[in-house]
Amino acid sequence: MNRLATNLPGLQLKNPVMPASGCFGFGREFSGMYDLNKLGAIMIKATTPKPRFGNPTPRVAETSAGMLNAIGLQNPGLSKVMEDELGFLDKYDVPIIANIAGSLVEDYKEVAREISKARNVKALELNISCPNVKEGGIAFGTDPQTAKSVTRAVKEVSQVPVYVKLSPNVTNITEIAKAVEDGGADGLTMINTLLGMRLDIKTGKPVIANGTGGLSGPAIKPVAIRMIHEVSQRVSIPIIGMGGIASAEDVIEFFYAGASAVAVGTANFVDPFVCPKIIEELPLLLEKLGYGHIAECTGRSWKKNAQTAYHRA
Amino acid sequence: MNRLATNLPGLQLKNPVMPASGCFGFGREFSGMYDLNKLGAIMIKATTPKPRFGNPTPRVAETSAGMLNAIGLQNPGLSKVMEDELGFLDKYDVPIIANIAGSLVEDYKEVAREISKARNVKALELNISCPNVKEGGIAFGTDPQTAKSVTRAVKEVSQVPVYVKLSPNVTNITEIAKAVEDGGADGLTMINTLLGMRLDIKTGKPVIANGTGGLSGPAIKPVAIRMIHEVSQRVSIPIIGMGGIASAEDVIEFFYAGASAVAVGTANFVDPFVCPKIIEELPLLLEKLGYGHIAECTGRSWKKNAQTAYHRA
Amino acid sequence: MIKNENMRVISQRKIAKTIYELTLEGELVSEMHQPGQFVHVKAGSGFDPLLRRPISISSIMAEEKQFKMIYRAEGRGTQLLSQKNNGESVDVLGPLGNGFPVEAAYGNGGRVLLVGGGIGVPPLFELSKRLSAKGCSVIHVLGFQSKDNVFYEEEFSRLGETYVVTADGSYGGAGFVTDMIKRLEEDFPVIYACGPTLMLRALEAEYGHKKLYLSLEERMGCGIGACFACVCHSAADPDGHSYKKVCSDGPVFRAGEVIL
Amino acid sequence: MIKNENMRVISQRKIAKTIYELTLEGELVSEMHQPGQFVHVKAGSGFDPLLRRPISISSIMAEEKQFKMIYRAEGRGTQLLSQKNNGESVDVLGPLGNGFPVEAAYGNGGRVLLVGGGIGVPPLFELSKRLSAKGCSVIHVLGFQSKDNVFYEEEFSRLGETYVVTADGSYGGAGFVTDMIKRLEEDFPVIYACGPTLMLRALEAEYGHKKLYLSLEERMGCGIGACFACVCHSAADPDGHSYKKVCSDGPVFRAGEVIL
Ligand SMILES: Cc1cc2nc3c(=O)[nH]c(=O)nc-3n(C[C@H](O)[C@H](O)[C@H](O)COP(=O)(O)OP(=O)(O)OC[C@H]3O[C@@H](n4cnc5c(N)ncnc54)[C@H](O)[C@@H]3O)c2cc1C
Ligand SMILES: Cc1cc2nc3c(=O)[nH]c(=O)nc-3n(C[C@H](O)[C@H](O)[C@H](O)COP(=O)(O)OP(=O)(O)OC[C@H]3O[C@@H](n4cnc5c(N)ncnc54)[C@H](O)[C@@H]3O)c2cc1C
Ligand SMILES: Cc1cc2nc3c(=O)[nH]c(=O)nc-3n(C[C@H](O)[C@H](O)[C@H](O)COP(=O)(O)O)c2cc1C
Ligand SMILES: Cc1cc2nc3c(=O)[nH]c(=O)nc-3n(C[C@H](O)[C@H](O)[C@H](O)COP(=O)(O)O)c2cc1C
Ligand code: FES
Ligand code: FES
């Protein structure tokens, strides 16, 4: 019995577990550690039109049950990503979700137009929630109108379904979610990091060079669950959930909240084998809990009958 | 040398460390464990005009390095608080900060008018950020105009300075902070809890009966630091900082961010002696770090010269 | 008085499936006076897990400055606790709450019934010791899920007649403690009980008119009465705003005092 | 190949003020081939602390399937690590990174200079062992803060001439390693160094034209090249977007390869 196969717009997934963008590079490093074919999909590092070096170091800091990062969207730029990275990943039978970013709407459009032509890119993830860059990023994700229009712009040029990645740093996440749904989003991914900061006790200055950074890891899981629970009841597009996932139990909790697939971020740094481990454990856990298929868990916290034929492969 | 004495509007504090509202009841329980006179001040549990039972149980759930609560502002009501609780606390030489809440602006005004007359109440803490009640609470704290007008209404009737407690569940906390400053707030207290949720892996239902709850504890510290860092640079009223404080080092970090005093919440549950412990350790830590007075730390992360005569007693 | 102490592990024993008996030593023991009180235990260092775990005091050895607790290692906190070895220390806050009123059993005639369910069984042990020491004749009815989970049958038997039931019938009588009590066909003027809420409700329905004392369980924050996490409605005012805190007013209440 | 293993603690020794030497055993040792590589250690169970800690491999005993690391117990992670006792296990990911190119020292004539500062000293030990084994004549200049912090002087002395300097002059020569190197008045065609960035910069300024290999330190997320936390600019393109990752391209670079 295949309890994990999952279909989402553009994505036929062996299982609904994938590494989150920015926490898996372009897969090369992990490919030496396990067979990437085990993954449901791969969300690659944010790609911008031109190469970006990102922020000065230190770029990460540890917090209680979490970490801050301010990488600043470092990436080799659209053409290198398409040639080298997507080329490398093409030998795997794994759909790629390309995380796209930029400073201007034009940037998003440019990356979307090109990268969506790549053979293995099956969906885009529109990153309008990066808290670590001065322009673009989160600025697009905190205002409903802006979020909607960048979604629409990207939808117009993309060859593949577009998932929009939401920022948790907002008063009303449902409003943003509905706006991007209106703008034509095929799905949502949530949550990106919470904006945070740590100060060095000796110097009084921020621990990371950028000052603020994005908070991720188990610490933010309750915020992610709350937001997915809220949004999933009010939109009709599927949600790929993320934020602190580190175990098969966490995956189920995200499904209960309303997710139809999940991504694992920070936990890859703690245990680089975490994704295949979760994928291996999930069927056993589902069996123990009495579910024939993981899709039965979606929205169980609020649905009368959680099963939706739609998400099930 | 007294490195800790701190003056804030209405508050002459032996030291700038106090238990946070809702995490210390009305002090009775702790009074059997240590001498409450050691505390800088006490922020008592939210008081509403009438008694409130609060939400059904379970009301708390553990999360990674944090906890969720949905107490729902349970309290014995204004008149009992004034008679029994403030009466009891009157035998201590500790200023009381009365946390006031309600469903309507009229409720806030009623509690403010009366409770500010109590001899030991030296300031009010206007709770417009409780995420656990259907009416009032957070609804007042997420819109700048509403926040400003409830602040103004309370200021009109209060006999003592008014501190407004901000919610972190907003897109732009500076905007709210400036609005309540405009409304006449004498100070800010921040942050209240982040809205979160946990689902039970067996039942699929929320672990706490209320569904969502407020996330507190070390997990949220980076968010608190970031917000205080941001707001303290843009308002000219002092900030009492809170959110995950559990050690003297944490206190210094909050001062660096821009706080002029701090409150300790969740950590009281983990170690009921945490407040006196921190108060004892602070002078030693300040000495080690080379500060003559804790006020020198305020805003050090962003100020050229952090010392402000104003905050120093 | 409530104290906080790093107590020394004297022994850690697995006594049934996932059930451990932990003996700790320290000054705090001299504050323990009443059976049915509990301690609040910090299972790990650091902030994960963050909160303390409430665990009943199951046996007090005042002279040795030792006490025992019996707990089920299930979640992260109790699992970490079960990994503590001899000589290591455990951060304990306590004793907390109001326990079983032993005096209530004096001079009522008849035997005193102690009813325990699962991890509600432990606090009855110190209670039974004290009642026996005072010359009361005690009888124990202990319910468990299954044979694997049964513990302390022999220890209780030494203090008085002991009946074990298991929900799945794999050991002792089959069914619930209430079934067993009925089968005993005896009138107990005083009953003390600790176990799952459903069990307590059943007992209250049947024996609420007796002197019945129930030890409740509720999720806790502080454990000392300060956070309002563990409240229940007073029976006198079921929909109103009067309440009792399980941690500091309880965990033991007389039947009829609060809404279960 | 990079592996993840719960390795067994063989010994844990305090060898200087806050400095510990930890010996671990496991299969992972058979993957360790190069001095200057590091492991990524999970110090506690659970999520506090969350991240792994990068610690250099200081000695490889391939036959015993054991290796040593030497670390300073300062923050929460390393303090937890220092509490691990014999027989307990430590979660290790490794070996990581590219270490010191031992071959670079072959056939250059003259003695090979190894320069270490503080907790940069440990990886030089395995390097020195290997160079010595290959017949190279090694000389060590080791800098520490103060007398209390000095470690492994004897161990290094057994492998070659060893000069210790302390910043406060409380032991050995006073001052910095660079002062000591000057005092040696010898021309070293090949130099390997590990220590604080300021020390590495000083060495680069003075000896950058030699075969100088520097082991860098940077805050890390993943330790395997996936998160872009630990990048530095390529020297060829100081303001551009080309970069090296300390964790997977380094931690050892040839002087002039990256911007320190
Ligand atoms: C007054 C009192 C006395 C108790 N005495 C005993 C005893 O003697 N032996 C024993 O095995 N258990 C006892 N319990 C139950 C015990 O507290 C829980 O089993 C324990 O807290 C679970 O922790 P965990 O780390 O295994 O679970 P986790 O799932 O990690 O716990 C998560 C959170 O939920 C709380 N929690 C989970 N289950 C319970 C529960 N049943 N009751 C209260 N809080 C819970 C935990 O305290 C923690 O805050 C008692 C509970 C109370 C209230
Ligand atoms: C390649 C490499 C090899 C190293 N080898 C050694 C060694 O052999 N012996 C040794 O004692 N130390 C070594 N270090 C430094 C060591 O990693 C830090 O001292 C350690 O991570 C601090 O952890 P903590 O728990 O004490 O401090 P905390 O303050 O709790 O650390 C908080 C966070 O900051 C990071 N951090 C703190 N200081 C450093 C630092 N100096 N470098 C990198 N990250 C840091 C931690 O890894 C953690 O993520 C090495 C560092 C690197 C990059
Ligand atoms: C080091 C790091 C880099 C990240 N880079 C990106 C990125 O490039 N694009 C993006 O959309 N999200 C990025 N994220 C956010 C994650 O994809 C994820 O949304 C977030 O970390 C929450 O999940 P987690 O708690 O499992 O890490 C990054 C996160 C981390 C920790
Ligand atoms: C159990 C509990 C009850 C609380 N009740 C109140 C309250 O009545 N009024 C209020 O303003 N804040 C209340 N808070 C919020 C705290 O005062 C504090 O702002 C928050 O918990 C963050 O600080 P901490 O991380 O130190 O706990 C409560 C928090 C907890 C955990
Ligand atoms: S647990 Fe805090 S009041 Fe009972
Ligand atoms: S630490 Fe992640 S890339 Fe180097």
Side-chain angles (χ1 to χ4, degrees):
Chain A
M1 181 153 65
N2 186 335
R3 299 179 197 263
L4 299 183
T6 300
N7 283 354
L8 295 177
L11 301 165
Q12 297 202 323
L13 309 174
K14 295 189 262 298
N15 65 70
V17 181
M18 60 195 86
S21 179
C23 303
F24 205 73
F26 296 94
R28 278 183 202 273
E29 294 75 17
F30 292 85
S31 72
M33 305 175 76
Y34 61 83
D35 180 2
L36 300 187
N37 283 319
K38 294 184 179 174
L39 299 171
I42 296 176
M43 293 170 142
I44 56 174
K45 177 92 193 123
T47 300
T48 52
K50 298 267 165 300
R52 285 181 63 113
F53 183 79
N55 292 320
T57 56
R59 294 176 169 188
V60 293
E62 195 178 50
T63 70
S64 295
M67 67 178 280
L68 293 170
N69 90 79
I71 307 297
L73 299 182
Q74 177 159 27
N75 78 93
L78 177 59
S79 58
K80 279 237 166 123
V81 168
M82 291 198 57
E83 279 162 47
D84 302 351
E85 308 301 346
L86 290 174
F88 164 78
L89 286 167
D90 201 31
K91 64 170 171 275
Y92 296 98
D93 174 29
V94 180
I96 306 301
I97 302 177
N99 186 278
I100 67 172
S103 311
L104 307 166
V105 177
E106 272 316 311
D107 295 342
Y108 285 98
K109 283 176 74 170
E110 181 183 344
V111 181
R113 188 184 301 114
E114 295 308 314
I115 212 164
S116 66
K117 293 177 190 159
R119 199 167 55 170
N120 46 350
V121 169
K122 304 298 184 194
L124 302 185
E125 183 182 37
L126 186 55
N127 180 356
I128 52 168
S129 43
C130 178
N132 300 322
V133 290
K134 289 221 174 53
E135 294 169 317
I138 205 170
F140 288 104
T142 49
D143 173 66
Q145 279 316 311
T146 319
K148 180 174 167 176
S149 59
V150 61
T151 304
R152 180 158 292 157
V154 165
K155 267 301 279 183
E156 271 165 20
V157 298
S158 176
Q159 312 283 318
V160 295
V162 175
Y163 292 70
V164 180
K165 185 154 183 179
L166 303 186
S167 168
N169 302 289
V170 296
T171 311
N172 187 342
I173 192 154
T174 299
E175 192 186 22
I176 312 276
K178 286 174 87 77
V180 303
E181 184 178 32
D182 261 13
D186 299 284
L188 302 172
T189 67
M190 58 192 286
I191 58 175
N192 209 318
T193 52
L194 279 161
L195 204 51
M197 185 179 236
R198 270 203 54 201
L199 301 171
D200 186 284
I201 190 79
K202 288 195 190 113
T203 65
K205 299 299 168 203
V207 174
I208 47 184
N210 185 54
T212 59
L215 182 64
S216 63
I220 69 168
K221 200 182 78 174
V223 176
I225 294 288
R226 185 267 289 185
M227 291 187 159
I228 293 169
H229 177 264
E230 186 182 314
V231 168
S232 63
Q233 296 177 62
R234 292 176 182 83
V235 298
S236 45
I237 48 179
I239 296 174
I240 303 178
M242 62 198 73
I245 294 176
S247 69
E249 282 79 10
D250 291 341
V251 172
I252 300 296
E253 194 176 345
F254 273 76
F255 271 73
Y256 286 157
S260 299
V262 295
V264 181
T266 303
N268 287 292
F269 307 158
V270 182
D271 176 5
F273 300 91
V274 66
C275 287
K277 275 186 197 159
I278 287 176
I279 292 164
E280 209 169 300
E281 279 171 30
L282 264 179
L284 309 173
L285 180 57
L286 287 168
E287 174 152 31
K288 200 174 117 193
L289 295 170
Y291 299 109
H293 193 278
I294 193 165
E296 294 163 27
C297 300
T298 296
R300 209 169 179 89
S301 60
W302 52 267
K303 278 187 196 163
K304 283 264 154 64
N305 178 357
Q307 168 92 41
T308 55
Y310 168 59
H311 297 138
R312 190 164 178 170
Chain B
M1 180 152 65
N2 186 335
R3 298 177 198 266
L4 300 182
T6 300
N7 283 353
L8 295 176
L11 301 166
Q12 297 202 320
L13 308 174
K14 295 189 261 299
N15 65 69
V17 181
M18 60 195 87
S21 180
C23 302
F24 206 72
F26 296 94
R28 278 183 202 273
E29 295 75 18
F30 291 86
S31 72
M33 305 176 78
Y34 61 82
D35 180 2
L36 300 186
N37 284 318
K38 293 183 179 176
L39 298 170
I42 296 175
M43 292 170 143
I44 56 174
K45 178 92 192 122
T47 301
T48 52
K50 298 265 164 303
R52 284 181 64 112
F53 183 79
N55 292 320
T57 57
R59 293 175 169 187
V60 294
E62 195 177 51
T63 70
S64 294
M67 67 178 281
L68 293 170
N69 90 79
I71 307 295
L73 300 184
Q74 176 160 26
N75 78 93
L78 178 59
S79 58
K80 279 237 166 122
V81 168
M82 290 198 60
E83 279 162 45
D84 302 351
E85 307 301 346
L86 290 174
F88 165 77
L89 286 167
D90 201 32
K91 65 170 170 275
Y92 296 98
D93 174 29
V94 180
I96 305 302
I97 302 177
N99 187 279
I100 66 173
S103 311
L104 307 166
V105 178
E106 272 316 310
D107 295 341
Y108 283 98
K109 283 176 75 171
E110 181 183 344
V111 180
R113 189 185 300 113
E114 295 308 315
I115 211 164
S116 68
K117 293 177 190 157
R119 199 164 55 168
N120 47 351
V121 169
K122 305 296 185 194
L124 302 186
E125 184 182 37
L126 186 56
N127 181 355
I128 53 169
S129 43
C130 179
N132 299 323
V133 290
K134 289 222 175 51
E135 295 169 319
I138 205 169
F140 286 105
T142 48
D143 173 65
Q145 280 317 312
T146 319
K148 181 174 166 175
S149 58
V150 61
T151 303
R152 181 158 290 155
V154 166
K155 267 302 280 183
E156 270 165 19
V157 297
S158 175
Q159 312 284 318
V160 295
V162 176
Y163 291 71
V164 180
K165 185 154 184 181
L166 303 185
S167 168
N169 302 289
V170 296
T171 311
N172 186 343
I173 192 154
T174 299
E175 192 186 20
I176 312 276
K178 287 173 86 76
V180 303
E181 184 179 31
D182 261 13
D186 299 283
L188 302 171
T189 66
M190 58 193 286
I191 58 175
N192 210 319
T193 52
L194 279 161
L195 205 50
M197 184 179 237
R198 272 204 53 200
L199 301 172
D200 186 286
I201 189 78
K202 289 197 189 112
T203 65
K205 299 298 169 203
V207 174
I208 47 184
N210 185 54
T212 59
L215 181 64
S216 63
I220 69 167
K221 199 182 78 173
V223 176
I225 293 288
R226 185 267 290 183
M227 291 188 160
I228 294 169
H229 177 265
E230 186 181 314
V231 169
S232 63
Q233 296 177 62
R234 292 176 181 82
V235 298
S236 46
I237 48 179
I239 296 173
I240 302 178
M242 63 197 74
I245 295 177
S247 69
E249 281 78 10
D250 291 341
V251 172
I252 301 295
E253 195 176 345
F254 274 76
F255 271 73
Y256 286 157
S260 298
V262 295
V264 180
T266 303
N268 288 292
F269 307 158
V270 181
D271 176 4
F273 299 92
V274 67
C275 286
K277 275 185 196 161
I278 288 176
I279 292 165
E280 208 170 300
E281 279 171 30
L282 264 179
L284 309 173
L285 180 57
L286 287 168
E287 173 153 30
K288 199 174 119 192
L289 296 170
Y291 299 110
H293 193 278
I294 194 166
E296 294 162 27
C297 299
T298 296
R300 209 170 178 88
S301 60
W302 52 267
K303 277 186 199 164
K304 283 266 154 62
N305 179 357
Q307 169 92 40
T308 54
Y310 168 58
H311 297 139
R312 190 164 178 169
Chain C
M1 214 178 93
I2 301 171
K3 286 193 176 159
N4 185 203
E5 184 177 352
N6 284 313
M7 302 183 75
R8 221 161 66 89
V9 176
I10 298 298
S11 89
Q12 170 95 265
R13 255 181 355 122
K14 192 167 179 176
I15 57 173
K17 195 179 160 203
T18 72
I19 305 284
Y20 292 78
E21 179 208 66
L22 177 62
T23 309
L24 295 176
E25 184 178 280
E27 296 306 319
L28 204 150
V29 174
S30 60
E31 308 290 333
M32 297 177 173
H33 302 301
Q34 208 187 12
Q37 287 187 294
F38 65 102
V39 291
H40 222 184
V41 180
K42 181 116 181 55
S45 68
F47 299 137
D48 178 37
L50 181 70
L51 298 176
R52 292 175 178 272
R53 302 295 191 257
I55 309 277
S56 302
I57 296 164
S58 69
S59 193
I60 306 170
M61 293 90 82
E63 292 196 359
E64 294 94 326
K65 295 195 173 168
Q66 296 180 356
F67 82 101
K68 288 184 197 291
M69 56 176 114
I70 296 168
Y71 63 95
R72 180 162 61 210
E74 211 179 8
R76 233 180 89 62
T78 49
Q79 272 175 30
L80 273 173
L81 193 61
S82 72
Q83 287 160 22
K84 295 273 185 179
N85 296 314
N86 291 8
E88 291 187 63
S89 71
V90 177
D91 178 345
V92 177
L93 180 75
L96 303 178
N98 294 300
F100 294 108
V102 185
E103 333 71 61
Y106 303 166
N108 284 285
R111 297 201 289 178
V112 182
L113 175 64
L114 275 54
V115 188
I119 51 166
V121 168
L124 300 180
F125 189 64
E126 179 64 27
L127 174 65
S128 184
K129 273 172 40 186
R130 299 210 171 198
L131 289 168
S132 304
K134 289 284 176 190
C136 299
S137 166
V138 288
I139 173 168
H140 314 103
V141 175
L142 310 176
F144 298 94
Q145 207 48 47
S146 179
K147 186 180 175 184
D148 294 346
N149 310 118
V150 177
F151 60 87
Y152 260 46
E153 184 183 10
E154 207 188 302
E155 284 81 350
F156 276 101
S157 299
R158 268 186 240 127
L159 296 169
E161 225 168 89
T162 300
Y163 298 89
V164 169
V165 296
T166 52
D168 67 357
S170 53
Y171 187 79
F176 298 115
V177 290
T178 38
D179 305 332
M180 180 55 81
I181 298 170
K182 282 203 192 105
R183 263 179 271 156
L184 293 174
E185 295 189 350
E186 183 175 335
D187 187 37
F188 300 102
V190 185
I191 309 176
Y192 299 95
C194 184
T197 306
L198 283 180
M199 178 190 111
L200 301 183
R201 281 204 194 116
L203 288 170
E204 187 174 56
E206 203 76 42
Y207 309 105
H209 55 291
K210 311 269 180 186
K211 271 193 172 178
L212 170 63
Y213 295 93
L214 308 172
S215 181
L216 272 56
E217 220 180 62
E218 189 49 82
R219 301 279 156 147
M220 294 187 175
C222 65
I224 60 170
C227 76
F228 294 82
C230 66
V231 295
C232 48
H233 282 280
S234 303
D237 182 21
D239 300 314
H241 43 72
S242 76
Y243 62 86
K244 295 282 175 183
K245 294 173 189 159
V246 171
C247 69
S248 53
D249 297 319
V252 176
F253 295 97
R254 173 114 192 226
E257 206 177 338
V258 296
I259 307 280
L260 292 180
Chain D
M1 213 177 95
I2 300 172
K3 286 193 176 158
N4 185 204
E5 184 178 351
N6 284 313
M7 301 184 76
R8 221 160 65 89
V9 176
I10 298 300
S11 90
Q12 170 94 266
R13 266 193 331 134
K14 191 168 181 176
I15 58 173
K17 194 180 160 199
T18 71
I19 304 286
Y20 292 78
E21 179 208 66
L22 177 63
T23 309
L24 295 176
E25 184 178 281
E27 296 306 319
L28 205 150
V29 174
S30 60
E31 307 290 333
M32 297 178 175
H33 301 301
Q34 208 187 13
Q37 286 187 296
F38 65 100
V39 291
H40 222 184
V41 180
K42 182 116 179 56
S45 68
F47 299 136
D48 178 39
L50 181 70
L51 298 175
R52 291 175 178 272
R53 301 295 191 258
I55 309 279
S56 302
I57 296 165
S58 69
S59 194
I60 305 169
M61 293 91 80
E63 292 197 358
E64 293 95 326
K65 294 193 175 172
Q66 296 179 357
F67 81 101
K68 288 184 197 291
M69 57 176 111
I70 296 169
Y71 64 95
R72 180 163 60 209
E74 210 177 9
R76 231 178 90 63
T78 50
Q79 273 175 30
L80 274 172
L81 193 60
S82 72
Q83 288 159 21
K84 293 274 185 178
N85 297 316
N86 290 8
E88 291 186 62
S89 70
V90 177
D91 177 346
V92 178
L93 180 75
L96 303 178
N98 293 300
F100 295 107
V102 184
E103 333 71 63
Y106 304 165
N108 284 285
R111 299 201 287 178
V112 182
L113 175 64
L114 274 56
V115 188
I119 52 167
V121 168
L124 301 179
F125 188 65
E126 179 64 26
L127 174 65
S128 185
K129 273 172 38 184
R130 300 211 169 197
L131 289 167
S132 304
K134 288 287 176 186
C136 298
S137 166
V138 289
I139 173 168
H140 314 104
V141 175
L142 310 177
F144 298 94
Q145 207 50 45
S146 179
K147 186 180 174 182
D148 295 346
N149 311 117
V150 177
F151 60 88
Y152 260 46
E153 184 183 11
E154 207 189 303
E155 284 83 347
F156 276 101
S157 299
R158 268 185 239 128
L159 296 169
E161 226 169 89
T162 299
Y163 299 89
V164 169
V165 297
T166 52
D168 66 358
S170 54
Y171 186 79
F176 298 115
V177 289
T178 39
D179 305 331
M180 179 57 81
I181 299 170
K182 282 200 191 109
R183 265 180 268 156
L184 293 174
E185 294 189 353
E186 184 175 334
D187 186 37
F188 300 102
V190 185
I191 309 176
Y192 299 95
C194 183
T197 305
L198 283 179
M199 179 190 109
L200 301 183
R201 280 203 194 118
L203 288 170
E204 187 174 56
E206 203 76 42
Y207 309 105
H209 55 291
K210 311 270 180 185
K211 272 193 170 178
L212 170 62
Y213 296 92
L214 308 172
S215 181
L216 272 57
E217 220 180 62
E218 189 50 82
R219 301 279 157 148
M220 293 186 175
C222 64
I224 61 172
C227 75
F228 292 83
C230 66
V231 297
C232 48
H233 283 280
S234 302
D237 182 20
D239 302 313
H241 42 74
S242 76
Y243 61 87
K244 295 283 176 182
K245 293 173 189 159
V246 171
C247 70
S248 53
D249 297 320
V252 176
F253 295 97
R254 173 114 189 225
E257 207 177 339
V258 297
I259 307 280
L260 292 180

